[in-house]
Each structure stands twice: as C-alpha cells, then as structure tokens.
C-alpha cells in the first residue's frame, strides 16, 4: 500500500552573522500516510478541509518539526495514493465511529478534489 500527503512548503534559513542568497526556499514535502485504522490515520481529518490546510499556523509548526528549519508557509497539494490504499482508506472510514457520512462524502469534505490515484 502506498499513500502520501504532498505539501508545498516555503522556508527560510535562520542565519546568524552570515548572509545567504537565496535566504528562502520553496520545496515539495511528501509525508507518508499511515495505514488506515492505525494511530495517526486521521491526519486528513485533523489537518485538512476542502483540500486546503485548515490551520496553517499549526501545520507550519508540524512542517518545521519535519524539516528542522523555520517554515514560513505550507499549502496542501494532494493525497497521492494507489487503488489499494484508497480502498483501505474508504473501508476504514466506513468502519469508523468518527464519521457519520459516507466515505466519499468524508474524503470530499477533507480532501476536496485533491486525490491523485497512481
């Protein structure tokens, strides 16, 4: 199974006593998704809404921890997933007491149209 959240991140270098050029960088961060039904699988519910980051300040803090540099901005690009992983995610949503809606509605509410099946 393969699934990953893809973000566009801008960060700056925290320099003391030296100048750097460029001082800001843009990069793509790919965060592997955990297996549906295991600890952390609700990342999409907790961090995303309608295909966007729902609390940029919080996600900037997470991205800062991931990268070890001060993140200035973060935006969600897509959930990159294979068919088996998407099926497993749908099944976990259907089986979870966390949701009242269908898996299709839940995924649309949180990810919008930002699911890319590879």
């Amino acid at each position: 199974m393969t699934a990953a959240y893809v973000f566009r991140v801008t960060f700056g270098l925290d320099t003391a006593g030296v100048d750097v050029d460029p001082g800001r960088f843009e990069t793509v961060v790919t965060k592997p998704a955990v297996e549906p039904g295991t600890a952390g699988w609700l990342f999409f519910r907790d961090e995303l809404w309608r295909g966007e980051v729902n609390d940029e300040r919080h996600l900037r803090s997470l991205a800062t921890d991931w990268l070890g540099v001060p993140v200035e901005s973060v935006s969600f690009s897509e959930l990159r997933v294979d068919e088996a992983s998407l099926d497993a995610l749908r099944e976990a949503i259907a089986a979870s007491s966390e949701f009242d809606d269908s898996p299709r509605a839940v995924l649309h509410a949180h990810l919008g149209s930002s699911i890319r099946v590879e």
Side-chain angles (χ1 to χ4, degrees), residues 14-70:
D14 188 9
T15 60
V18 297
D19 291 324
V20 293
D21 185 28
R24 291 180 48 169
F25 300 87
E26 294 181 18
T27 192
V28 174
V29 174
T30 304
K31 180 189 181 319
V34 300
E35 184 177 335
T38 64
W41 80 280
L42 294 173
F43 180 85
F44 72 93
R45 180 204 65 186
D46 298 340
E47 306 301 339
L48 305 169
W49 184 249
R50 301 276 187 227
E52 302 287 334
V53 171
N54 67 5
D55 181 349
E56 191 197 7
R57 186 169 142 191
H58 173 70
L59 205 51
R60 274 195 330 260
S61 176
L62 291 178
T64 293
D65 291 343
W66 300 337
L67 300 177
V69 295

Side-chain angles (χ1 to χ4, degrees), residues 4-16:
Y5 298 97
V6 180
F7 297 92
R8 296 210 175 275
V9 174
T10 302
F11 64 91
L13 295 178
D14 188 9
T15 60

Side-chain angles (χ1 to χ4, degrees), residues 1-3 36 81-91 117-118:
M1 292 179 39
T2 304
V81 64
D82 62 19
E83 282 289 345
S85 297
L86 185 55
D87 289 344
L89 182 56
R90 288 178 179 141
E91 290 170 12
V117 180
E118 296 183 321

